[in-house]
Coordinates of all heavy atoms in Angstrom, one line a residue:
M1 N -32.8 65.1 -31.6 CA -32.1 64.8 -30.4 C -33.0 65.1 -29.2 O -33.9 65.9 -29.4 CB -30.8 65.6 -30.3 CG -29.8 65.4 -31.3 SD -28.2 65.5 -30.5 CE -27.3 64.3 -31.5
T2 N -32.7 64.5 -28.1 CA -33.5 64.7 -26.9 C -33.0 65.9 -26.2 O -31.8 66.0 -25.9 CB -33.4 63.4 -26.0 OG1 -33.8 62.3 -26.8 CG2 -34.4 63.6 -24.8
T3 N -33.9 66.8 -25.8 CA -33.5 68.0 -25.0 C -33.6 67.7 -23.5 O -34.5 67.0 -23.1 CB -34.5 69.1 -25.4 OG1 -34.4 69.3 -26.8 CG2 -34.1 70.4 -24.6
V4 N -32.6 68.2 -22.8 CA -32.6 68.0 -21.4 C -33.8 68.7 -20.7 O -34.1 69.8 -21.0 CB -31.3 68.6 -20.8 CG1 -31.3 68.5 -19.3 CG2 -30.1 67.9 -21.3
L5 N -34.4 68.0 -19.8 CA -35.6 68.6 -19.1 C -35.2 69.2 -17.8 O -35.9 70.1 -17.3 CB -36.7 67.5 -18.9 CG -37.2 66.9 -20.2 CD1 -38.2 65.8 -19.8 CD2 -37.9 67.9 -21.1
T6 N -34.0 68.8 -17.3 CA -33.6 69.4 -16.0 C -32.8 70.6 -16.3 O -32.2 70.8 -17.4 CB -32.6 68.4 -15.3 OG1 -31.6 68.0 -16.2 CG2 -33.4 67.1 -14.9
P7 N -32.8 71.6 -15.4 CA -32.1 72.8 -15.6 C -30.6 72.6 -15.8 O -30.0 71.8 -15.1 CB -32.3 73.6 -14.3 CG -33.5 73.0 -13.6 CD -33.5 71.5 -14.1
A8 N -30.1 73.2 -16.8 CA -28.7 73.1 -17.1 C -28.2 74.5 -17.5 O -28.9 75.3 -18.0 CB -28.4 72.1 -18.3
S9 N -26.9 74.7 -17.3 CA -26.4 76.0 -17.6 C -26.3 76.1 -19.1 O -25.9 75.2 -19.8 CB -25.0 76.2 -17.0 OG -24.1 75.2 -17.4
P10 N -26.7 77.3 -19.7 CA -26.7 77.4 -21.1 C -25.3 77.4 -21.7 O -24.3 77.8 -21.0 CB -27.3 78.8 -21.4 CG -27.8 79.3 -20.1 CD -27.2 78.5 -19.0
L11 N -25.1 76.9 -22.9 CA -23.8 76.9 -23.6 C -23.5 78.3 -24.0 O -24.4 79.1 -24.4 CB -23.9 75.9 -24.8 CG -24.1 74.4 -24.4 CD1 -24.5 73.7 -25.7 CD2 -22.8 73.9 -23.8
T12 N -22.2 78.6 -24.0 CA -21.8 80.0 -24.3 C -20.8 79.9 -25.5 O -20.4 78.8 -25.9 CB -21.1 80.7 -23.2 OG1 -19.8 80.0 -22.9 CG2 -21.9 80.6 -21.9
A13 N -20.4 81.0 -26.0 CA -19.4 81.0 -27.1 C -18.1 80.4 -26.7 O -17.3 80.0 -27.5 CB -19.2 82.5 -27.6
A14 N -17.8 80.4 -25.4 CA -16.6 79.8 -24.9 C -16.6 78.2 -24.9 O -15.6 77.6 -24.9 CB -16.3 80.3 -23.5
D15 N -17.8 77.7 -25.1 CA -17.9 76.2 -25.1 C -17.6 75.8 -26.6 O -18.3 76.2 -27.5 CB -19.3 75.8 -24.7 CG -19.6 76.0 -23.2 OD1 -18.7 75.6 -22.4 OD2 -20.6 76.6 -22.9
R16 N -16.7 74.9 -26.7 CA -16.2 74.5 -28.1 C -16.4 73.0 -28.3 O -16.4 72.2 -27.4 CB -14.7 74.8 -28.2 CG -14.3 76.2 -27.8 CD -15.1 77.3 -28.4 NE -15.0 77.5 -29.8 CZ -15.6 78.5 -30.5 NH1 -16.4 79.3 -29.9 NH2 -15.4 78.6 -31.8
C17 N -16.7 72.7 -29.6 CA -16.9 71.3 -30.0 C -15.6 70.5 -29.8 O -14.5 70.9 -30.1 CB -17.2 71.3 -31.5 SG -17.4 69.7 -32.2
D18 N -15.8 69.3 -29.1 CA -14.7 68.5 -28.8 C -14.1 67.8 -30.1 O -13.0 67.3 -30.1 CB -15.1 67.4 -27.9 CG -15.3 67.9 -26.5 OD1 -14.6 68.8 -26.0 OD2 -16.2 67.4 -25.8
R19 N -14.8 67.9 -31.2 CA -14.3 67.3 -32.4 C -13.5 68.3 -33.3 O -12.5 68.0 -33.8 CB -15.5 66.7 -33.2 CG -15.2 66.0 -34.5 CD -14.6 64.7 -34.2 NE -14.4 64.0 -35.5 CZ -13.4 63.2 -35.8 NH1 -12.5 63.0 -34.9 NH2 -13.3 62.7 -36.9
C20 N -14.1 69.5 -33.5 CA -13.5 70.4 -34.4 C -13.2 71.8 -33.9 O -12.5 72.6 -34.5 CB -14.4 70.6 -35.6 SG -15.9 71.5 -35.3
G21 N -13.6 72.1 -32.7 CA -13.3 73.4 -32.0 C -14.3 74.5 -32.4 O -14.1 75.6 -31.9
A22 N -15.3 74.2 -33.2 CA -16.4 75.2 -33.4 C -17.2 75.5 -32.2 O -17.1 74.7 -31.2 CB -17.2 74.8 -34.6
Q23 N -18.0 76.5 -32.2 CA -18.9 76.7 -31.1 C -19.8 75.5 -30.8 O -20.4 75.0 -31.8 CB -19.7 78.0 -31.3 CG -20.6 78.3 -30.1 CD -21.3 79.7 -30.2 OE1 -21.0 80.5 -31.1 NE2 -22.2 80.0 -29.3
A24 N -19.9 75.1 -29.6 CA -20.8 74.0 -29.2 C -22.2 74.4 -29.0 O -22.5 75.4 -28.4 CB -20.2 73.3 -27.9
Y25 N -23.1 73.6 -29.5 CA -24.5 73.8 -29.4 C -25.2 72.5 -28.7 O -26.4 72.5 -28.5 CB -25.2 74.1 -30.7 CG -24.9 75.5 -31.2 CD1 -23.8 75.8 -32.0 CD2 -25.6 76.6 -30.7 CE1 -23.5 77.0 -32.4 CE2 -25.3 77.9 -31.1 CZ -24.2 78.1 -31.9 OH -23.9 79.4 -32.3
L26 N -24.4 71.5 -28.5 CA -24.9 70.3 -27.8 C -24.0 69.9 -26.7 O -22.8 69.9 -26.9 CB -25.0 69.1 -28.8 CG -26.2 69.3 -29.8 CD1 -25.6 69.5 -31.2 CD2 -27.0 68.0 -29.8
R27 N -24.6 69.6 -25.5 CA -23.8 69.0 -24.4 C -24.4 67.7 -24.2 O -25.6 67.5 -24.0 CB -24.0 69.9 -23.2 CG -23.3 69.3 -21.9 CD -23.6 70.1 -20.7 NE -22.7 71.3 -20.7 CZ -23.1 72.5 -20.6 NH1 -24.3 72.8 -20.4 NH2 -22.2 73.5 -20.6
V28 N -23.5 66.7 -24.2 CA -23.9 65.3 -24.0 C -23.3 64.8 -22.6 O -22.1 64.8 -22.5 CB -23.4 64.4 -25.1 CG1 -23.8 62.9 -24.9 CG2 -23.8 64.9 -26.5
V29 N -24.2 64.6 -21.7 CA -23.8 64.1 -20.4 C -23.8 62.5 -20.5 O -24.8 61.9 -20.8 CB -24.7 64.5 -19.3 CG1 -24.3 64.0 -17.9 CG2 -24.8 66.0 -19.2
L30 N -22.6 61.9 -20.3 CA -22.4 60.5 -20.5 C -22.9 59.7 -19.3 O -22.8 60.1 -18.1 CB -21.0 60.2 -20.7 CG -20.3 60.9 -21.9 CD1 -18.8 60.7 -21.9 CD2 -21.0 60.6 -23.2
I31 N -23.5 58.5 -19.6 CA -23.9 57.6 -18.5 C -22.8 57.3 -17.6 O -22.9 57.2 -16.4 CB -24.5 56.3 -19.2 CG1 -25.8 56.6 -19.9 CG2 -24.8 55.3 -18.1 CD1 -26.3 55.5 -20.8
S32 N -21.6 57.1 -18.2 CA -20.4 56.8 -17.4 C -19.8 57.9 -16.6 O -18.8 57.7 -15.9 CB -19.3 56.2 -18.4 OG -19.0 57.1 -19.3
G33 N -20.3 59.1 -16.8 CA -19.8 60.3 -16.2 C -19.1 61.2 -17.2 O -18.7 60.7 -18.2
G34 N -18.9 62.4 -16.9 CA -18.3 63.4 -17.8 C -19.3 63.9 -18.9 O -20.5 63.6 -18.9
E35 N -18.7 64.7 -19.8 CA -19.6 65.3 -20.8 C -18.8 65.5 -22.1 O -17.5 65.6 -22.0 CB -20.2 66.6 -20.3 CG -19.3 67.7 -20.1 CD -19.9 69.0 -19.7 OE1 -21.0 69.0 -19.1 OE2 -19.3 70.1 -20.0
L36 N -19.5 65.6 -23.2 CA -18.9 65.9 -24.4 C -19.7 67.1 -25.0 O -20.9 67.2 -24.8 CB -19.0 64.8 -25.4 CG -18.2 63.5 -25.0 CD1 -18.6 62.3 -26.0 CD2 -16.7 63.7 -25.1
L37 N -18.9 68.0 -25.7 CA -19.6 69.1 -26.4 C -19.4 69.0 -27.9 O -18.3 68.6 -28.4 CB -18.9 70.4 -25.9 CG -19.0 70.7 -24.4 CD1 -18.2 72.0 -24.1 CD2 -20.4 70.8 -24.0
F38 N -20.5 69.3 -28.7 CA -20.4 69.2 -30.1 C -21.1 70.4 -30.8 O -22.0 71.0 -30.3 CB -21.2 68.0 -30.6 CG -20.5 66.7 -30.2 CD1 -20.9 65.9 -29.1 CD2 -19.4 66.2 -30.9 CE1 -20.2 64.8 -28.8 CE2 -18.7 65.1 -30.6 CZ -19.2 64.3 -29.5
C39 N -20.5 70.8 -31.9 CA -21.2 71.8 -32.8 C -22.4 71.0 -33.4 O -22.6 69.8 -33.2 CB -20.2 72.2 -33.9 SG -19.7 70.9 -35.1
A40 N -23.3 71.8 -34.1 CA -24.5 71.2 -34.6 C -24.1 70.1 -35.7 O -24.8 69.0 -35.7 CB -25.4 72.3 -35.2
H41 N -23.1 70.4 -36.5 CA -22.7 69.4 -37.5 C -22.3 68.1 -36.9 O -22.8 67.0 -37.4 CB -21.6 70.0 -38.4 CG -20.9 69.0 -39.2 ND1 -21.4 68.6 -40.4 CD2 -19.7 68.4 -39.1 CE1 -20.6 67.7 -40.9 NE2 -19.5 67.6 -40.2
H42 N -21.4 68.1 -36.0 CA -20.9 66.9 -35.4 C -22.0 66.2 -34.5 O -22.0 65.0 -34.3 CB -19.6 67.1 -34.7 CG -18.5 67.2 -35.7 ND1 -17.8 68.4 -35.9 CD2 -17.9 66.3 -36.6 CE1 -16.9 68.2 -36.8 NE2 -17.0 67.0 -37.3
G43 N -22.8 67.0 -33.9 CA -23.9 66.5 -33.1 C -24.8 65.6 -33.9 O -25.2 64.5 -33.6
R44 N -25.2 66.2 -35.1 CA -26.0 65.4 -36.1 C -25.3 64.2 -36.6 O -25.9 63.1 -36.7 CB -26.4 66.3 -37.3 CG -27.5 67.2 -36.9 CD -28.1 67.9 -38.2 NE -27.1 68.6 -38.9 CZ -26.7 69.9 -38.7 NH1 -27.4 70.6 -37.8 NH2 -25.8 70.5 -39.4
K45 N -24.0 64.3 -36.9 CA -23.2 63.2 -37.5 C -23.1 62.0 -36.5 O -23.2 60.9 -36.9 CB -21.8 63.7 -37.8 CG -20.9 62.7 -38.4 CD -19.6 63.2 -38.8 CE -18.7 62.2 -39.4 NZ -17.4 62.7 -39.8
F46 N -22.9 62.3 -35.2 CA -22.7 61.3 -34.2 C -24.0 61.0 -33.4 O -23.9 60.2 -32.5 CB -21.6 61.6 -33.3 CG -20.3 61.8 -34.0 CD1 -19.6 63.0 -33.9 CD2 -19.7 60.8 -34.7 CE1 -18.4 63.2 -34.6 CE2 -18.5 61.0 -35.4 CZ -17.9 62.2 -35.3
E47 N -25.1 61.5 -33.8 CA -26.4 61.4 -33.0 C -26.7 59.9 -32.7 O -27.0 59.6 -31.5 CB -27.5 62.0 -33.7 CG -28.9 61.9 -33.0 CD -30.0 62.6 -33.7 OE1 -29.8 63.1 -34.8 OE2 -31.1 62.5 -33.2
P48 N -26.7 59.0 -33.6 CA -27.1 57.6 -33.2 C -26.2 57.0 -32.1 O -26.7 56.4 -31.2 CB -27.0 56.8 -34.5 CG -27.1 57.8 -35.6 CD -26.4 59.1 -35.0
E49 N -24.9 57.2 -32.2 CA -24.0 56.7 -31.3 C -24.1 57.4 -29.9 O -24.0 56.8 -28.9 CB -22.5 56.8 -31.8 CG -22.2 55.9 -33.0 CD -22.7 56.5 -34.3 OE1 -23.0 57.7 -34.4 OE2 -22.7 55.8 -35.3
L50 N -24.3 58.7 -30.0 CA -24.4 59.5 -28.7 C -25.7 59.1 -27.9 O -25.6 59.0 -26.7 CB -24.5 61.0 -29.1 CG -23.2 61.6 -29.6 CD1 -23.5 63.1 -30.0 CD2 -22.1 61.5 -28.6
K51 N -26.8 58.8 -28.6 CA -28.0 58.4 -27.9 C -27.8 57.1 -27.1 O -28.4 56.9 -26.1 CB -29.1 58.2 -28.9 CG -29.7 59.5 -29.4 CD -30.9 59.3 -30.3 CE -31.6 60.6 -30.6 NZ -32.8 60.4 -31.4
K52 N -26.9 56.3 -27.6 CA -26.6 55.0 -26.9 C -25.8 55.2 -25.6 O -25.9 54.4 -24.7 CB -25.8 54.1 -27.8 CG -26.6 53.6 -29.0 CD -25.7 52.8 -29.9 CE -26.3 52.5 -31.3 NZ -25.4 51.8 -32.2
I53 N -25.0 56.3 -25.5 CA -24.1 56.4 -24.3 C -24.5 57.6 -23.5 O -23.8 57.9 -22.5 CB -22.7 56.6 -24.8 CG1 -22.5 57.8 -25.7 CG2 -22.2 55.3 -25.5 CD1 -21.0 58.1 -26.0
A54 N -25.6 58.4 -23.9 CA -25.9 59.6 -23.2 C -26.9 59.4 -22.0 O -27.9 58.7 -22.2 CB -26.5 60.6 -24.1
A55 N -26.7 60.0 -20.9 CA -27.7 60.1 -19.8 C -28.6 61.2 -20.2 O -29.8 61.2 -20.0 CB -27.0 60.3 -18.5
E56 N -28.0 62.3 -20.7 CA -28.8 63.5 -21.1 C -28.2 64.2 -22.3 O -26.9 64.1 -22.5 CB -28.9 64.6 -20.0 CG -29.6 64.1 -18.7 CD -29.6 65.2 -17.7 OE1 -29.1 66.3 -17.9 OE2 -30.0 64.9 -16.5
I57 N -29.0 64.8 -23.2 CA -28.4 65.6 -24.3 C -29.1 67.0 -24.2 O -30.3 67.1 -24.3 CB -28.7 64.9 -25.6 CG1 -28.0 63.6 -25.7 CG2 -28.3 65.9 -26.8 CD1 -28.3 62.8 -27.0
Q58 N -28.3 68.0 -24.0 CA -28.8 69.4 -24.0 C -28.6 69.9 -25.4 O -27.4 70.1 -25.9 CB -27.9 70.2 -23.0 CG -28.3 71.6 -22.9 CD -27.5 72.4 -21.9 OE1 -26.8 71.8 -21.1 NE2 -27.5 73.7 -22.0
D59 N -29.6 70.1 -26.1 CA -29.6 70.5 -27.5 C -30.0 72.0 -27.6 O -31.2 72.3 -27.4 CB -30.6 69.7 -28.3 CG -30.5 69.9 -29.8 OD1 -29.9 70.9 -30.3 OD2 -31.2 69.2 -30.5
E60 N -29.1 72.9 -28.0 CA -29.4 74.3 -28.2 C -29.3 74.7 -29.7 O -29.0 75.9 -30.0 CB -28.5 75.1 -27.3 CG -28.7 74.9 -25.8 CD -27.8 75.8 -25.0 OE1 -27.2 76.8 -25.5 OE2 -27.8 75.6 -23.7
T61 N -29.4 73.7 -30.6 CA -29.3 74.0 -32.0 C -30.4 75.0 -32.5 O -30.2 75.6 -33.6 CB -29.2 72.8 -32.8 OG1 -30.4 72.0 -32.6 CG2 -28.0 71.9 -32.6
D62 N -31.5 75.1 -31.8 CA -32.5 76.1 -32.2 C -32.0 77.5 -32.2 O -32.5 78.3 -32.9 CB -33.7 75.9 -31.3 CG -33.4 76.2 -29.8 OD1 -32.3 75.8 -29.4 OD2 -34.3 76.8 -29.2
R63 N -30.9 77.8 -31.5 CA -30.3 79.1 -31.5 C -29.7 79.4 -32.8 O -29.5 80.6 -33.2 CB -29.3 79.2 -30.4 CG -29.8 79.1 -29.0 CD -28.8 79.0 -27.9 NE -27.6 79.9 -28.2 CZ -26.4 79.6 -27.7 NH1 -26.2 78.5 -27.0 NH2 -25.4 80.4 -28.0
L64 N -29.4 78.4 -33.7 CA -28.8 78.7 -35.0 C -29.8 79.3 -35.9 O -29.4 80.0 -36.9 CB -28.3 77.4 -35.6 CG -27.2 76.7 -34.8 CD1 -26.9 75.4 -35.4 CD2 -26.0 77.6 -34.8
T65 N -31.1 79.2 -35.7 CA -32.1 79.8 -36.6 C -32.5 81.2 -36.1 O -33.4 81.8 -36.7 CB -33.3 78.9 -36.7 OG1 -33.8 78.7 -35.4 CG2 -33.0 77.6 -37.4
A66 N -31.8 81.7 -35.1 CA -32.1 83.0 -34.6 C -31.3 84.1 -35.3 O -31.1 85.2 -34.7 CB -31.9 83.0 -33.1
G67 N -30.9 83.9 -36.5 CA -30.3 85.0 -37.3 C -28.8 85.0 -37.3 O -28.2 85.9 -37.8
Q68 N -28.2 84.0 -36.7 CA -26.7 83.9 -36.8 C -26.2 83.5 -38.2 O -26.9 82.7 -38.8 CB -26.2 82.9 -35.7 CG -26.5 83.4 -34.3 CD -25.9 82.4 -33.3 OE1 -24.9 81.7 -33.6 NE2 -26.4 82.4 -32.1
L69 N -25.1 83.9 -38.5 CA -24.5 83.6 -39.8 C -23.8 82.3 -39.8 O -23.0 82.1 -38.9 CB -23.6 84.7 -40.3 CG -24.2 86.1 -40.5 CD1 -23.2 87.1 -40.9 CD2 -25.3 86.0 -41.6
L70 N -23.9 81.4 -40.8 CA -23.3 80.1 -40.8 C -21.8 80.2 -40.7 O -21.2 79.4 -40.0 CB -23.7 79.4 -42.1 CG -23.3 77.9 -42.2 CD1 -23.8 77.1 -41.0 CD2 -23.8 77.3 -43.5
P71 N -21.1 81.1 -41.4 CA -19.6 81.1 -41.3 C -19.1 81.3 -39.9 O -18.0 80.9 -39.5 CB -19.2 82.2 -42.2 CG -20.3 82.3 -43.2 CD -21.5 82.0 -42.5
A72 N -19.9 82.0 -39.0 CA -19.4 82.3 -37.7 C -19.6 81.0 -36.8 O -19.1 80.9 -35.7 CB -20.2 83.4 -37.1
I73 N -20.4 80.1 -37.3 CA -20.7 78.9 -36.5 C -19.7 77.8 -36.7 O -19.3 77.1 -35.7 CB -22.1 78.4 -36.9 CG1 -23.2 79.5 -36.5 CG2 -22.5 77.1 -36.2 CD1 -24.5 79.3 -37.2
H74 N -19.3 77.5 -37.9 CA -18.5 76.3 -38.2 C -17.4 76.7 -39.1 O -17.6 77.4 -40.1 CB -19.4 75.2 -38.8 CG -18.7 73.9 -38.8 ND1 -17.7 73.5 -39.6 CD2 -19.0 72.8 -38.0 CE1 -17.3 72.3 -39.3 NE2 -18.1 71.8 -38.4
P75 N -16.1 76.4 -38.7 CA -15.0 76.8 -39.5 C -15.0 76.2 -40.9 O -14.3 76.8 -41.8 CB -13.8 76.2 -38.7 CG -14.3 75.2 -37.8 CD -15.8 75.5 -37.6
M76 N -15.7 75.2 -41.2 CA -15.8 74.6 -42.6 C -17.0 75.1 -43.3 O -17.4 74.5 -44.3 CB -15.7 73.1 -42.5 CG -14.4 72.6 -41.9 SD -14.3 70.8 -41.9 CE -14.5 70.4 -43.6
A77 N -17.7 76.1 -42.8 CA -19.0 76.5 -43.4 C -18.9 76.8 -44.9 O -19.8 76.6 -45.6 CB -19.5 77.7 -42.6
A78 N -17.8 77.4 -45.3 CA -17.7 77.7 -46.8 C -17.7 76.4 -47.6 O -18.1 76.5 -48.8 CB -16.3 78.4 -47.0
E79 N -17.4 75.3 -47.0 CA -17.5 74.0 -47.8 C -18.8 73.3 -47.6 O -19.1 72.3 -48.3 CB -16.3 73.1 -47.3 CG -15.0 73.7 -47.5 CD -13.9 72.8 -46.9 OE1 -14.1 71.6 -46.8 OE2 -12.8 73.4 -46.6
I80 N -19.6 73.8 -46.7 CA -20.9 73.1 -46.5 C -22.0 73.6 -47.5 O -22.2 74.8 -47.6 CB -21.4 73.4 -45.0 CG1 -20.4 72.8 -44.0 CG2 -22.8 72.8 -44.8 CD1 -20.7 73.1 -42.6
R81 N -22.6 72.7 -48.2 CA -23.7 73.1 -49.1 C -25.0 72.8 -48.5 O -25.3 71.7 -48.1 CB -23.5 72.3 -50.4 CG -22.2 72.5 -51.1 CD -22.2 73.9 -51.9 NE -21.0 74.0 -52.6 CZ -20.1 74.9 -52.5 NH1 -20.3 75.8 -51.6 NH2 -19.1 75.0 -53.2
V82 N -25.8 73.8 -48.3 CA -27.1 73.6 -47.6 C -28.2 73.4 -48.7 O -28.2 74.0 -49.7 CB -27.5 74.8 -46.7 CG1 -28.8 74.6 -46.0 CG2 -26.3 75.1 -45.8

């Protein structure tokens, strides 16, 4: 995904995925206005479509490799096979 080059406020634990409610790690600013938030899973799943409609994509998925546990990130983590 493309990372936003302009300063943007960091995503927090209060920012939730618009698809499943998990913690959001991607903010998609739409060309038409507004924004969508996605967890890493749904950000990857919808990446091709999002790139077509996004003015900017703020990708903070690199924070996931900073020692956080997978079950705390996505409610379906127990079903995800890595």
Side-chain angles (χ1 to χ4, degrees):
M1 295 217 147
T2 306
T3 303
V4 174
L5 299 177
T6 57
S9 58
L11 294 167
T12 69
D15 293 310
R16 311 312 289 181
C17 176
D18 289 325
R19 182 75 174 145
C20 69
Q23 184 171 349
Y25 288 92
L26 288 109
R27 174 181 285 128
V28 180
V29 179
L30 304 173
I31 295 169
S32 61
E35 69 178 24
L36 297 170
L37 300 176
F38 291 101
C39 64
H41 165 78
H42 285 110
R44 284 190 301 271
K45 181 176 180 179
F46 300 122
E47 179 179 3
E49 293 82 13
L50 292 173
K51 285 183 172 182
K52 295 175 188 175
I53 62 170
E56 297 179 3
I57 297 176
Q58 178 181 346
D59 183 354
E60 296 185 11
T61 56
D62 60 323
R63 293 174 37 210
L64 296 174
T65 58
Q68 295 185 24
L69 298 175
L70 187 59
I73 296 165
H74 197 285
M76 296 179 61
E79 299 175 25
I80 298 172
R81 301 281 187 241
V82 182

